[in-house]
Amino acid sequence: MTTPLDSGLIAEYLLDHPHFFEEHAELLSTVKLTSPVMGRAVSLQERQMEILREKIKVQELHMADLMRIAQENDEITSKFQAWTRALLLARDEADLPRVLCERLQEIFHVPQVTLRLWNLAEARDEAWFVQSVSDDARIFAKGLTAPFCGANKEFEAAGWLEDAASVKSVAILPLRGGASPDAFGLLVLGSADPGRFTADMGTDFLTRIAETASAALACLLR
């Protein structure tokens, strides 16, 4: 009697004998497999080539994706460097908030940008960047441990933007001096595009913007 061979045992045997098909090369052309690509039976060699081409295609797509990310990161780095340079070239401390916002808006193509500061070293009651800051806004700023991104739910800070009525999404960045728990201001980015700033987007880059802006504006503090 002939005992039926278990497919698992056959697989184990082939794994234990990697030179099997070298010793029986004629089997490579006779073993037939169903090809999901060609829709017909193909030889083992042809199927191996299909699998290899599929792997190469996946690797090419992955490489293209990595190159795209690298290019995007390089572009962001260049923009960040240009913005930082503009801050360093600002000679007038009183004009620094305007330069910071205008260059951020221009370089990063943000539709609307503004900021508000408090606890300044000198009285600047007439300056645009100290107007209309309520106690609630200051408490909100202190409670932000990271930039807020999401839909504009009639935030007071969003109302500081020039065309507040058109803003559908916002990024609100707390400004702090180093590791201080107290914020001394808020940097606000707004867009009419609901998808520009979303709750699930990464905030690492916005955090760097907030840190750089905080360092630049620290000269205005008490």
Side-chain angles (χ1 to χ4, degrees), residues 31-216:
V31 174
K32 299 295 181 180
L33 302 172
T34 301
S35 169
V37 177
M38 304 180 67
R40 61 178 177 81
V42 296
S43 69
L44 182 59
Q45 290 172 313
E46 289 176 302
R47 181 60 185 135
Q48 287 177 319
M49 289 301 296
E50 284 182 2
I51 294 173
L52 182 59
R53 282 193 291 267
E54 290 171 3
K55 289 182 177 179
I56 292 175
K57 183 177 181 179
V58 170
Q59 290 176 345
E60 288 177 343
L61 292 174
H62 181 59
M63 183 61 67
D65 193 45
L66 290 177
M67 291 180 65
R68 177 187 59 79
I69 293 173
Q71 290 173 348
E72 291 177 352
N73 288 340
D74 184 62
E75 182 179 356
I76 290 174
T77 300
S78 296
K79 289 180 177 180
F80 191 83
Q81 191 273 338
W83 178 63
T84 304
R85 182 175 182 274
L87 297 180
L88 293 173
L89 289 175
R91 303 303 181 189
D92 185 356
E93 291 182 356
D95 199 38
L96 185 57
R98 180 191 62 80
V99 173
L100 188 151
C101 291
E102 288 184 357
R103 296 295 285 158
L104 185 64
Q105 185 174 358
E106 175 187 345
I107 294 172
F108 292 97
H109 307 295
V110 181
Q112 298 189 59
V113 179
T114 193
L115 60 76
R116 290 293 187 274
L117 305 175
W118 48 89
N119 297 333
L120 302 186
E122 299 180 12
R124 303 176 186 271
D125 296 338
E126 301 302 321
W128 62 270
F129 51 84
V130 299
Q131 301 297 313
S132 305
V133 182
S134 69
D135 290 339
D136 287 341
R138 300 186 187 201
I139 293 172
F140 174 74
K142 183 177 181 179
L144 286 178
T145 57
F148 168 86
C149 296
N152 178 19
K153 298 180 180 179
E154 299 183 357
F155 292 104
E156 177 184 334
W160 302 336
L161 295 165
E162 183 177 0
D163 185 12
S166 68
V167 175
K168 302 300 181 184
S169 63
V170 293
I172 305 176
L173 288 57
L175 301 175
R176 287 188 170 86
S180 173
D182 295 322
F184 66 82
L186 285 172
L187 178 60
V188 188
L189 288 61
S191 173
D193 179 5
R196 179 64 185 271
F197 303 109
T198 60
D200 59 350
M201 69 183 295
T203 59
D204 289 348
F205 183 64
L206 290 174
T207 297
R208 292 190 178 92
I209 287 180
E211 291 173 349
T212 303
S214 297

